[in-house]
Amino acid sequence: MIDRDQQFAISGELAFTTNPQGARLIEIENASARAALALQGAQLLDWTPVGQAPVLWLSPGALYREGKAVRGGIPVCWPWFGPHPENPAFPAHGFARTRSWQVIGSEKLLDSTRVTLCLDATEVDPKLWPHQALVTLTVTVGTELRLDLATENRGDTALEVSQALHSYLAVGDIAAVTVEGLEGTDYIDQLQDARRLRQKGPVVIGEEVDRIYLGGCPELQLLDTALGRRIRIAQSGSASTVVWNPWADKAARLGDMGPAESYRQMLCLETANAADDAVTIPPGGAHRLSVEFSATAL
Ligand code: BG6
């Protein structure tokens, strides 16, 4: 597989490597930023613009195991978000994040590097997922980071997909973080029996939070006064945003969050099609979910 992938290497800019735990990675370094992506799950693990601290949070206790998503970066939740709608025994957040994806393209652009991976889900066991689709992730690494997740329905019946680009963002201290852009939006509180509530003012986090905000939110801003940084998140193809921080007790239960206080250094803001916002793709049709990040000093 490594040999097949070599055709997509770009000298001095994009290389295929293996980390000490045996995970196969794509490492990108250009004049604007550095990034790393695991071939399992097409999971971005790092994006660090030149002269800045990493923008994505990667757990200091991250485990690299076949069939298990790495805690941090941007896991791809597909073709369902959260628990399977009918069968709780099926993997949470779908199967794409734990499968091996195939690299199908790479490109050196003016100030950025682009890599495209795909997962052919026409070959998945029909007991797990009785549909035919091709899912493609295009990642563009520059002073901005962009991810485009495209689903093509290759079957002859309509396909319903829920999904998320499950971004873990690095923050200086969760107590010094404010999220703007969700004011007045209704959300499903996953910690209160899916109660529907309305957000008043910006989002601040002082306890475990697990919410699905409903309604299009083309731009979110994470203001981090501890790191002196603003992260802008532009979203499209999405009418739901998930906000998640496990806080101390759940972090301890997860087992791969690292030292006890690590949950204070992360916040998940996930670009989603979740709950009421699941998308229906007609036969032969496609849907694209996109997110773009930029980080600047406050
Ligand atoms: C979030 C969900 O998207 O992902 C949470 O809203 C969940 O309910 C979290 O706990 C992490 O999920 P996992 O499967 O990666 O541990």
Side-chain angles (χ1 to χ4, degrees), residues 118-276:
C118 86
L119 178 69
D120 185 354
T122 57
E123 285 162 14
V124 171
D125 181 351
K127 286 196 216 81
L128 180 65
W129 199 65
H131 305 285
Q132 307 248 294
L134 184 77
V135 59
T136 309
L137 181 74
T138 304
V139 180
T140 310
V141 175
T143 47
E144 300 190 335
L145 170 72
R146 185 178 172 96
L147 283 84
D148 295 287
L149 183 70
T151 304
E152 272 174 52
N153 181 358
R154 297 204 160 172
D156 47 20
T157 53
L159 169 64
E160 185 172 295
V161 167
S162 62
Q163 57 183 348
L165 292 163
H166 188 309
S167 310
Y168 286 78
L169 299 171
V171 303
D173 178 1
I174 191 71
V177 165
T178 310
V179 179
E180 294 181 352
L182 295 167
E183 297 81 350
T185 304
D186 288 344
Y187 64 88
I188 298 172
D189 192 332
Q190 306 216 81
L191 301 175
Q192 292 191 60
D193 290 329
R195 235 175 103 194
R196 290 188 183 230
L197 299 163
R198 180 159 300 169
Q199 178 65 36
K200 292 184 189 69
V203 179
V204 287
I205 316 277
E207 60 187 338
E208 182 181 355
V209 167
D210 191 351
R211 301 175 183 165
I212 302 173
Y213 285 84
L214 296 166
C217 178
E219 184 174 297
L220 286 171
Q221 292 203 23
L222 185 156
L223 280 69
D224 178 347
T225 53
L227 279 188
R229 177 161 77 181
R230 175 196 312 267
I231 303 175
R232 280 202 178 79
I233 305 160
Q235 319 189 99
S236 64
S238 155
S240 49
T241 302
V242 179
V243 179
W244 180 63
N245 182 296
W247 217 251
D249 291 352
K250 179 156 181 179
R253 287 198 301 276
L254 288 172
D256 56 359
M257 287 285 293
E261 295 287 294
S262 295
Y263 72 90
R264 302 196 69 89
Q265 264 80 59
M266 53 75 66
L267 178 63
C268 286
L269 295 179
E270 308 168 31
T271 303
N273 295 117
D276 309 9

Side-chain angles (χ1 to χ4, degrees), residues 85-120:
E86 281 117 40
N87 191 337
F90 286 170
H93 289 327
F95 52 81
R97 64 177 180 160
T98 53
R99 302 262 163 148
S100 186
W101 289 53
Q102 216 178 30
V103 182
I104 54 167
S106 66
E107 208 180 337
K108 183 181 170 77
L109 304 171
L110 202 55
D111 301 312
S112 56
T113 312
R114 179 170 293 160
V115 61
T116 306
L117 299 98
C118 86
L119 178 69
D120 185 354

